[in-house]
Amino acid sequence: MRCLARLSSKALLVLCSLLALLSLLLWTRCSHHPQPAPGPPEHPGIPDSEEASPQDAPRAPGMPGSAGRAAVAPGPRYEEIDCVINEEQTVKGRREGSEVFLPFSWVEKYFQVYGRIAQADGSERFEFSHSYSKVYAQRAPYRPDGVFMSFEGYNVELRDRVKCISGVEGVPLSTQWGPQGYFYPIQIAQYGLSHYSKNLTEKPPHVEVYETAGDGNGNGEWTVPKGCSLTTVWDKTRLTGVKQFSCPESSEGVSLELNNGRDFIISFDLKLLSNGSVSVVLETTERNQLFTVHYVSSTQLIALRDRDIFYGIGARSSWSTLTRDLLTDLRKGVGLSNTKAVKQTKIMPKRVLRLVAKGRGFLDNVTISATAHMAAFFAASRWLLRNQDERGGWPIMVTRKLGEGFKSLDPGWYSAMAQGQAMSTLVRAYQLTKEPAFLGAALRATAPFKLPAEQRGVKAVFMNRHDWYEEYPTTPSSFVLNGFMYSLIGLYDLKETAGEKLGKEARLLYERGMESLKAMLPLFDTGSGTIYDLRHFMLGTAPNLARWDYHTTHINQLQLLGSIDDAPVFREFVKRWKSYLRGGRAKHN
């Protein structure tokens, strides 16, 4: 019995051990089964599509007792879905619950809207815009001697359809409708008005003087190689001392050290006694390579040979001031092409190293400055004086085809916009100088406003009732809105400057035009934008919708006119047309 009792005790001990081992194995196995993570916190009343977006996926909260461990984020809860567009094409989109997302690259083209990923407060965000152009705050009230609209922001010379700034005339040469280049009065007037406006809105420029032989002041040093001469002589016409140089074209030339890496507008007074040149050597951003811009006594417009750029400046046989923007001259030279557009280039001037003179002549007042706005303004103003014809206009010497259904305008046509912007330029020149020639030219410029297109004028009449001044005096009439309003601004500038007696004709033309504008503005409103012209009415074609930059030009022009005429119609249209820039639309039925 005692042995049986001992055996039973041992068996019981083994049995207990086996049970304990089995329990341990079962516990260990169960503990390795994954537990489902809790889902995102519930948001009662908010649909699934608003809980998250592809840009901001929800994160699961940490497990209890898991402080210090990173929370695990589930993948975005969207799936690809085919989006059938007008039963014509299929675009791959993404679906999240009841919400469907289309690629913005498709949305941008289809709806003609704009967007980009931008940095803000240290993080990225997507910025969406219904339009791409800007309305400027009107300086009220507008004045004929003040800033012209928002033209202080214009950089006419940098446009790719400007071939270069002529060395002879000092104004831009356009390739808008022909690669050969031609003088376009509208562009020239805008060049002058933009620099006039910049002069009023910018600080006075920094100017570095390198040579004034009359008083001996200047920061430059001359180098005169063998075979060349440089002397200071008295000039009786200027009543001052000037530098006289004599140097064969085959030599290195006399050179003036400039070494300016700050500014790039060079100016000097020049008189040549024979064929000669003044060249400026530039260090550029193109691996510090040197480019030389040569201003030569010829009528050649512009040429490029390797790293040498040539501008003809005419004979210069009497004293004149040559002012050049070296940045523009370099870029137009490097980008020279046989097409309408100047080729884009990244080459920029880095430092103005020296000026080199060759031939025989005189130099004085060599300076480099940050800007020279008034030189550009008066170059445009005096070009307008020299090139006005006997009919009071500035003929445009290039063929213009406005569109299918319109007869082409042969070279020699006038533009009401050119006439108006020329007036705005000339009256400002008169205000500054009081030279009667400027005011006289502006007064003569009213003549084409009184003649219809078939008599080489710019006047059209809408529905036998409303006088209109045509930017393009086409057959049939086109009624371009922005060009008409520019002509009204020019007539206003003239009537206000000339006074009651001399300005009577300009006043009558202005008043008739303003009556037409107020009556016809509704014809240019689409309910979501504006129309460039009235070809849909005149030709029975589809309307020619204004791009956003033209739409904002319409608004800016109306704001200006509204500052001198308080008619409610201007305020109403400005308000409505501004709303279109943000996606506003007129009510439907």
Side-chain angles (χ1 to χ4, degrees), residues 484-498:
F484 176 55
M485 287 195 281
Y486 276 129
S487 73
L488 294 180
I489 296 168
L491 289 168
Y492 174 81
D493 287 343
L494 179 55
K495 83 176 184 68
E496 290 293 300
T497 303

Side-chain angles (χ1 to χ4, degrees), residues 119-379:
Q119 292 285 336
D121 299 326
S123 61
E124 287 187 334
R125 70 180 185 187
F126 185 76
E127 295 178 348
F128 173 90
S129 177
H130 187 75
S131 61
Y132 62 79
S133 197
K134 180 181 179 181
V135 174
Y136 291 89
Q138 171 60 37
R139 299 173 178 86
Y142 171 77
R143 300 193 325 270
D145 62 345
V147 172
F148 188 84
M149 283 186 53
S150 57
F151 272 37
E152 72 275 16
Y154 278 35
N155 292 295
V156 175
E157 54 268 50
L158 297 184
R159 296 173 183 170
D160 62 2
R161 296 298 177 91
V162 170
K163 192 178 189 75
C164 65
I165 302 299
S166 164
V168 175
E169 301 287 351
V171 295
L173 204 77
S174 178
T175 56
Q176 183 99 6
W177 301 310
Q180 75 281 1
Y182 56 92
F183 292 111
Y184 188 31
I186 289 176
Q187 203 169 69
I188 292 168
Q190 290 185 352
Y191 177 69
L193 290 168
S194 68
H195 282 283
Y196 179 92
S197 300
K198 290 175 190 289
N199 187 65
L200 292 179
T201 55
E202 295 179 4
K203 295 179 180 179
H206 173 265
V207 180
E208 193 77 24
V209 179
Y210 290 92
E211 176 59 59
T212 54
D215 55 21
N217 292 328
N219 298 324
E221 292 186 8
W222 287 94
T223 300
V224 183
K226 187 176 180 180
C228 297
S229 65
L230 181 72
T231 57
T232 301
V233 299
W234 182 259
D235 187 283
K236 294 180 181 179
T237 60
R238 295 165 65 89
L239 299 177
T240 184
V242 297
K243 288 292 186 183
Q244 182 174 12
F245 61 90
S246 178
C247 207
E249 284 289 328
S250 58
S251 70
E252 296 178 9
V254 295
S255 63
L256 176 64
E257 194 72 20
L258 302 174
N259 197 31
N260 190 318
R262 172 174 173 170
D263 301 316
F264 298 99
I265 307 290
I266 192 165
S267 181
F268 49 86
D269 298 340
L270 177 66
K271 177 182 177 181
L272 292 174
L273 299 175
S274 64
N275 289 338
S277 65
V278 176
S279 305
V280 182
V281 182
L282 301 172
E283 180 185 337
T284 69
T285 56
E286 183 69 7
R287 299 187 298 274
N288 295 329
Q289 286 184 340
L290 302 186
F291 280 74
T292 303
V293 184
H294 305 271
Y295 303 104
V296 299
S297 57
S298 74
T299 56
Q300 180 182 37
L301 179 63
I302 182 175
L304 172 67
R305 297 179 203 141
D306 195 16
R307 293 197 295 274
D308 291 282
I309 301 164
F310 299 85
Y311 288 88
I313 59 172
R316 301 280 169 165
S317 56
S318 58
W319 278 108
S320 62
T321 301
L322 186 67
T323 302
R324 302 298 297 185
D325 183 337
L326 295 170
L327 186 151
T328 299
D329 284 350
L330 173 67
R331 291 171 67 84
K332 296 296 182 182
V334 172
L336 189 62
S337 73
N338 294 320
T339 64
K340 290 182 180 180
V342 174
K343 291 184 293 187
Q344 296 297 310
T345 177
K346 295 181 179 179
I347 298 176
M348 301 282 284
K350 189 175 179 181
R351 184 171 295 275
V352 186
L353 297 180
R354 57 187 173 275
L355 176 148
V356 180
K358 296 181 181 180
R360 294 172 53 241
F362 304 90
L363 268 171
D364 196 17
N365 296 329
V366 181
T367 65
I368 292 181
S369 60
T371 60
H373 295 313
M374 294 314 289
F377 169 71
F378 278 113

Side-chain angles (χ1 to χ4, degrees), residues 505-579:
E505 197 166 70
R507 178 177 58 80
L508 291 174
L509 292 167
Y510 169 77
E511 289 174 352
R512 289 180 195 144
M514 287 291 276
E515 288 174 7
S516 300
L517 178 64
K518 294 170 186 176
M520 293 174 63
L521 269 178
L523 301 179
F524 294 88
D525 192 327
T526 70
S528 60
T530 51
I531 295 174
Y532 179 79
D533 56 27
L534 295 184
R535 68 182 64 190
H536 60 294
F537 185 87
M538 302 303 296
L539 299 173
T541 62
N544 186 20
L545 300 181
R547 299 194 314 253
W548 285 121
D549 50 343
Y550 276 102
H551 179 72
T552 53
T553 295
H554 294 157
I555 296 171
N556 289 328
Q557 290 173 316
L558 284 184
Q559 287 186 152
L560 185 153
L561 293 171
S563 76
I564 56 181
D565 184 326
D566 62 358
V569 64
F570 293 137
R571 292 192 297 274
E572 293 166 5
F573 274 85
V574 165
K575 181 179 179 180
R576 184 158 69 248
W577 288 1
K578 279 184 176 179
S579 75

